Amino acid sequence: MKSLLSTSLLALALSGCSFSNIVTSSSISCPDGATLVVEFPASDVIRLQYVNGDSVRSNNTGVVLAPDKTVSFRASQSGDWHKYSTDDLVAEVNAQNAAVVVRDAQTGDIIFQTNSSTPFESERIAKVKVTYDDASAHTEHTANGDVTVKDIISTDTVGFVTQYRVNFNFQDGEALYGLGAHMEDYMNLRGKTMYLTQHNLKAMVPVLNSTAGYGLLFDAGCGMKFTDADGNSYMELEAANELDLYVMKGRQLGDVVANYRRLTGDCPMMPRYMFGYIQSKERYVSQEDLVSTLREYRNRRVPIDMIVQDWSYWPEGWGYMKMDPKYYPNPKAMADSVHAMNAKLMVSIWPNPQYCPQEKDFRERGFMLEQSVYDVFNPAARDYYWSYANNEFFSKGFDAWWCDCSEPLDGDWKGMGENYGWDNQEERWHHNMNTLSVSLGEERSSLYSLYHSMGIYENQRKTSDNKRVVNLTRSSYAGQQRYATITWNGDTHASWKSFKQQIPAGLNFMATGCPYWSVDIGSFFTRGNDLWHRWFYAGQFPGGCDDPAYREYYTRMFQWGTFLPMMRSHGTDTPREIWRFGEPGTPYYDAILKMINIRYQLLPYNYSNAWRITNERYTMARLLAFDFADDQRVLDIKDEYMFGDALLVCPVTDPGVASRKVYLPKCEGWYDFWTGQRLDGGQEVEANAPIDCLPLYVRQGSIIPMGAEVQYSGEQVDKPVDIHIYPGKDASFTLYDDEGDNYNCEKGEYSTIVIKWDDKNHTVTFGSRNGTYNGMSETRTFNVVTPSGKATVTYTGQEIKQTI
């Protein structure tokens, strides 16, 4: 790696302005031909564009939305330091080496700085083109589906790409989070190396957030490498037109996330049913199989809101968006049957149709890329992909999408040799990044899922506003949250070690600003299989749901999944329906049912928090540093997190235990959710954890609205709501509601009720209702519950107070 900015004197010139001027952009020219441009997209966001050349060249990712207006800033000079200031931030650039220091404008404190001696580097790398023999094309079956394989004719150098690096000086004691969902067992990323590209079990989001009061967004579409180890701290971009870095100020991590969403787009409101229970498996093999499974849930009175049709429903080829009439004779009737049972239907769709009429159709239109994936970067191809999805599914009543394999290529889901495995992240990074680069191009190798999601979202919105878009997808990227996606962590294997690793993976993902994340409850692979050295097929429960050990594992994972944004059971090797784990009155069945009921009781809490995600740029499930960054003990805790402002969730991740140690972060106090016992914060406790519950605590000064036990989310509407108050300090909660599944909420058709608790006077106030929507009941019943008493309030929309 060759440094473009040495310690020799640089002749920096600010083009188009003097140092006393108010400007909107400052371009710094370096004598070795590099350029650094400083802008402020917002008063508390700095954009640094560094390029090996005399003018910046956009990476054209589509990640960052065009700003509504240009922010002016003050430019001045003091000695070697060139200073650019807004009311929130000050950026200082050293004329000797172009190092950057970013300060809080109010306090003068440094929040972020590049390395003081070598801030930026770049290097030209040969660009390789692989030529395939189309005549050799054949299908190979892998655990990731059927893939087209061709022989290579030649590998040629066809030019160069530029590799960029920005070097950091992190502060002592600051913790770093984000970069997506990872297989590595990491929470705080200080001292770690992360290999970033898209593949099954890794969803890359190039956002790094710090407890020092800032976040970093790297706006490029290539693979990347982050290191904070062995005396080096940097982010390396493997192929980009420029290094495009946004420094986002935030007093707390939640403020940084809000800035990230302001740059890259807000999250649409998810439908109410998405916060119920979702049943899936690999797979329901016919229309009757799927409908009868849902009917069994209803007959058993086990709540459920959605059932999922996985792959291989097509009559020929692979990934064909067409249901085989032999097994699915009437897709519309199937959707109608699901709806008649007050549930929704999700279907798996793939970006790689092969050996079927759909592939031929796309290829003839020029809509296919190498290795038989459709060209999401072509708007016409995205529209045409939607036409298939709409004709076969959406127009027939299907409700939600499962966009599987949205990387869209994974290079290591077949036999890869004895030394290729779970912990060899660098080799997997090279292999998968190269696979994606050949088909998509080096500069956009990580962008496929972003554009695939855009095509689904924008086309469904054009087609109808009556259903909110729901897209469960295996890959992600910065900005993807604006397309109503939920990312899940891929095809995990069932082991207690894997379970432990998945928790920090999700928390780091959601810390980037992408708030909707989920898992296959029970893990995807339950059995181990050494065939062809398939390293990923590493489950430890060959007996599946008939094995008591797996029933325990599934139950413990189910408890955790209850407190994730999406609660969905899924996997291969063994069935996943509740009756596969026993019958009513047996421990595992009853424990699973208990969690499903808790999920539905929490609908008013969860749906209101979903509105905060949309309206306030909130994060529902978040690592402890979001709330307790001043408590050093929480910065690397991997198995506890907050769910909403109130709930501290502590999953049980070891077999055969009935308790676990829990650290209660420093705050006024905590209540045991199950017993009501009050405990002081800042201490470690031994928490009871019988098989039917996980340790769960409520922060003092919280309000949790809980509904009735119902069979589906729509049944919760207008039923009495219990307002649980946990005293010790004043509290507030905004109860949100709307029609549940259309976009009238974007037109202002919703209601909010602010509920406040006056701790000194033991009085709860229900504020005047704000707003209305079609079908809203004018009168609601609220049962207020505190440790010292209860009261029932009949609410008609006007402010009302009740002393308990």
Side-chain angles (χ1 to χ4, degrees):
M1 176 75 65
K2 176 177 122 179
S3 174
L4 289 178
L5 297 179
S6 68
T7 56
S8 62
L9 179 65
L10 300 178
L12 285 89
L14 293 176
S15 62
C17 70
S18 70
F19 284 112
S20 60
N21 284 350
I22 302 298
V23 298
T24 58
S25 179
S26 178
S27 179
I28 303 169
S29 298
C30 307
D32 52 7
T35 302
L36 178 68
V37 172
V38 179
E39 295 179 342
F40 286 80
S43 180
D44 52 358
V45 177
I46 295 172
R47 183 185 187 188
L48 302 172
Q49 292 172 276
Y50 173 81
V51 66
N52 182 7
D54 58 4
S55 61
V56 294
R57 301 184 295 272
S58 172
N59 290 321
N60 297 311
T61 63
V63 166
V64 176
L65 302 176
D68 294 333
K69 60 181 179 179
T70 302
V71 176
S72 300
F73 58 93
R74 298 175 292 279
S76 63
Q77 181 179 4
S78 178
D80 289 331
W81 289 97
H82 299 267
K83 183 184 293 185
Y84 315 112
S85 307
T86 68
D87 291 341
D88 292 294
L89 288 173
V90 176
E92 300 169 346
V93 179
N94 192 315
Q96 294 298 317
N97 62 5
V100 178
V101 177
V102 178
R103 298 179 184 272
D104 185 309
Q106 282 78 46
T107 66
D109 295 337
I110 294 175
I111 63 172
F112 165 78
Q113 57 187 324
T114 63
N115 184 277
S116 58
S117 60
T118 310
F120 302 103
E121 302 174 76
S122 71
E123 183 177 4
R124 295 181 76 205
I125 305 293
K127 184 175 182 178
V128 174
K129 179 181 179 181
V130 178
T131 303
Y132 292 94
D133 179 8
D134 290 336
S136 70
H138 62 281
T139 300
E140 290 189 7
H141 181 72
T142 75
N144 196 45
D146 290 347
V147 297
T148 297
V149 177
K150 301 177 185 178
D151 294 337
I152 295 175
I153 296 175
S154 64
T155 302
D156 304 300
T157 299
V158 293
F160 295 87
V161 295
T162 304
Q163 182 186 76
Y164 286 98
R165 181 183 290 185
V166 53
N167 297 297
F168 308 115
N169 279 350
F170 294 125
Q171 302 177 43
D172 292 341
E174 74 173 288
L176 299 172
Y177 306 102
L179 299 182
H182 322 298
M183 297 164 60
E184 301 89 332
D185 189 20
Y186 298 157
M187 187 74 267
N188 182 0
L189 300 181
R190 291 302 304 275
K192 307 300 193 296
T193 295
M194 302 298 299
Y195 297 97
L196 305 172
T197 191
Q198 309 289 11
H199 58 76
N200 197 335
L201 298 172
K202 184 179 284 285
M204 172 190 176
V205 182
V207 175
L208 189 67
N209 290 332
S210 169
T211 55
Y214 70 92
L216 304 175
L217 166 62
F218 302 88
D219 187 5
C222 57
M224 303 181 193
K225 177 184 176 182
F226 167 77
T227 286
D228 180 41
D230 301 324
N232 296 305
S233 300
Y234 61 82
M235 178 68 90
E236 183 176 279
L237 281 59
E238 300 307 311
N241 291 328
E242 65 180 15
L243 195 157
D244 195 354
L245 172 61
Y246 292 80
V247 183
M248 307 170 289
K249 179 184 174 182
R251 184 175 58 88
Q252 298 176 331
L253 289 175
D255 301 324
V256 177
V257 165
N259 257 332
Y260 159 80
R261 297 219 197 115
R262 181 169 55 176
L263 289 171
T264 64
D266 286 318
C267 303
M269 187 65 185
M270 288 291 181
R272 186 186 290 111
Y273 71 77
M274 210 279 287
F275 300 96
Y277 174 60
I278 299 167
Q279 180 63 61
S280 180
K281 72 175 182 181
E282 190 199 46
R283 64 186 175 87
Y284 298 110
V285 299
S286 68
Q287 181 170 330
E288 175 56 28
D289 186 21
L290 183 142
V291 171
S292 63
T293 299
L294 178 60
R295 187 180 300 115
E296 181 67 13
Y297 269 90
R298 290 288 179 246
N299 290 341
R300 288 173 175 264
R301 296 194 58 76
V302 176
I304 186 172
D305 256 86
M306 186 156 64
I307 193 162
V308 183
Q309 176 61 57
D310 200 352
W311 63 1
S312 291
Y313 52 75
W314 39 77
E316 59 181 302
W318 178 266
Y320 185 16
M321 280 189 278
K322 183 73 175 177
M323 304 205 86
D324 187 342
K326 180 178 179 180
Y327 302 103
Y328 305 89
N330 192 330
K332 184 181 185 304
M334 181 168 69
D336 290 344
S337 297
V338 169
H339 296 158
M341 289 184 276
N342 297 298
K344 305 294 184 181
L345 179 59
M346 174 182 277
V347 64
S348 169
I349 58 175
W350 295 66
N352 54 341
Q354 298 169 62
Y355 300 103
C356 64
Q358 184 180 341
E359 180 196 21
K360 181 180 179 182
D361 188 9
F362 271 64
R363 197 169 295 283
E364 288 175 349
R365 294 172 184 270
F367 290 165
M368 294 296 280
L369 298 172
E370 282 290 350
Q371 302 188 44
S372 296
V373 295
Y374 88 96
D375 185 2
V376 295
F377 305 109
N378 182 339
R382 293 196 300 270
D383 292 347
Y384 201 59
Y385 185 87
W386 168 256
S387 72
Y388 271 83
N390 182 41
N391 290 340
E392 184 66 5
F393 301 119
F394 192 69
S395 67
K396 296 175 182 176
F398 286 55
D399 304 285
W401 310 105
W402 177 8
C403 289
D404 210 334
C405 197
S406 52
E407 295 83 10
L409 300 165
D410 204 296
D412 57 4
W413 284 83
K414 56 181 180 177
M416 298 301 296
E418 293 183 9
N419 296 322
Y420 193 91
W422 188 269
D423 296 320
N424 196 338
Q425 296 296 325
E426 184 174 7
E427 184 177 357
R428 299 192 68 229
W429 174 63
H430 280 295
H431 189 66
N432 284 283
M433 187 167 54
N434 290 341
T435 298
L436 290 167
S437 294
V438 167
S439 181
L440 309 180
E442 291 87 345
E443 292 91 347
R444 62 185 192 183
S445 62
S446 292
L447 293 176
Y448 195 94
S449 184
L450 174 66
Y451 282 82
H452 188 30
S453 302
M454 175 171 60
I456 295 294
Y457 179 82
E458 292 183 345
N459 278 292
Q460 182 175 322
R461 291 299 304 264
K462 291 176 187 175
T463 304
S464 173
D465 263 0
N466 291 327
K467 287 183 180 180
R468 294 177 193 167
V469 180
V470 173
N471 178 357
L472 177 66
T473 185
R474 200 171 69 186
S475 190
S476 190
Y477 209 66
Q480 190 168 300
Q481 75 283 343
R482 66 181 181 253
Y483 300 130
T485 56
I486 310 105
T487 301
W488 98 99
N489 60 340
D491 295 339
T492 55
H493 70 269
S495 73
W496 292 96
K497 178 182 178 182
S498 171
F499 184 0
K500 289 180 173 70
Q501 292 171 332
Q502 292 177 54
I503 299 171
L507 295 176
N508 265 308
F509 179 86
M510 290 179 281
T512 65
C514 298
Y516 289 110
W517 185 83
S518 185
V519 298
D520 292 343
I521 293 177
S523 298
F524 187 71
F525 297 108
T526 60
R527 297 195 303 262
N529 188 333
D530 292 330
L531 184 63
W532 306 315
H533 303 296
R534 294 196 294 184
W535 59 272
F536 50 85
Y537 211 138
Q540 298 180 355
F541 303 97
C545 61
D546 294 326
D547 181 353
Y550 180 69
R551 292 185 176 192
E552 179 190 11
Y553 175 86
Y554 182 86
T555 300
R556 290 304 195 187
M557 201 172 184
F558 203 96
Q559 291 165 354
W560 170 45
T562 303
F563 300 96
L564 289 176
M566 173 185 271
M567 182 188 188
R568 167 180 165 270
S569 171
H570 180 69
T572 191
D573 300 334
T574 192
R576 304 301 170 110
E577 297 83 13
I578 185 174
W579 55 88
R580 311 292 187 175
F581 296 86
E583 289 294 333
T586 59
Y588 299 115
Y589 185 104
D590 287 356
I592 294 167
L593 180 59
K594 178 179 179 178
M595 288 298 108
I596 295 177
N597 283 329
I598 287 289
R599 178 75 172 189
Y600 279 85
Q601 287 180 282
L602 284 171
L603 267 171
Y605 178 76
N606 290 340
Y607 200 50
S608 297
N609 282 328
W611 172 245
R612 293 184 65 188
I613 289 173
T614 297
N615 191 53
E616 301 174 20
R617 298 172 175 150
Y618 180 66
T619 301
M620 179 187 295
R622 55 192 190 275
L623 52 89
L624 295 179
F626 269 71
D627 298 79
F628 310 103
D630 292 335
D631 186 345
Q632 289 291 310
R633 289 193 62 176
V634 311
L635 299 184
D636 203 32
I637 290 180
K638 303 174 184 178
D639 59 353
E640 301 178 24
Y641 63 97
M642 294 300 296
F643 192 61
D645 288 347
L647 291 170
L648 175 66
V649 182
C650 311
V652 178
T653 59
D654 289 301
V657 301
S659 67
R660 60 153 288 183
K661 293 186 183 301
V662 168
Y663 177 70
L664 300 174
K666 292 180 181 177
C667 70
E668 293 80 2
W670 297 90
Y671 289 87
D672 186 309
F673 178 85
W674 307 108
T675 68
Q677 178 188 9
R678 187 194 174 281
L679 298 163
D680 291 333
Q683 64 167 322
E684 187 174 83
V685 299
E686 189 70 24
N688 288 329
I691 193 60
D692 67 339
C693 68
L694 77 170
L696 189 63
Y697 295 88
V698 184
R699 182 158 42 178
Q700 181 176 307
S702 294
I703 297 173
I704 301 181
M706 296 184 67
E709 292 186 3
V710 294
Q711 295 301 296
Y712 58 94
S713 61
E715 197 177 26
Q716 188 72 262
V717 176
D718 297 335
K719 288 186 179 293
V721 175
D722 294 342
I723 306 298
H724 292 265
I725 295 175
Y726 296 84
K729 59 182 294 189
D730 292 347
S732 178
F733 187 90
T734 300
L735 186 66
Y736 171 87
D737 215 345
D738 62 19
E739 294 174 68
D741 188 16
N742 59 40
Y743 286 103
N744 288 337
C745 58
E746 295 182 350
K747 305 171 186 176
E749 297 181 24
Y750 60 85
S751 76
T752 57
I753 303 169
V754 178
I755 306 168
K756 293 185 177 180
W757 169 251
D758 181 338
D759 198 62
K760 179 180 178 180
N761 297 306
H762 283 247
T763 299
V764 61
T765 300
F766 293 85
S768 298
R769 182 190 286 121
N770 180 30
T772 186
Y773 59 90
N774 185 43
M776 184 189 77
S777 292
E778 296 293 333
T779 302
R780 299 293 304 273
T781 299
F782 296 116
N783 301 311
V784 183
V785 182
T786 75
S788 59
K790 300 179 180 180
T792 297
V793 173
T794 300
Y795 178 80
T796 59
Q798 287 74 45
E799 181 178 301
I800 186 170
K801 295 187 177 182
Q802 177 71 52
T803 300
I804 308 298

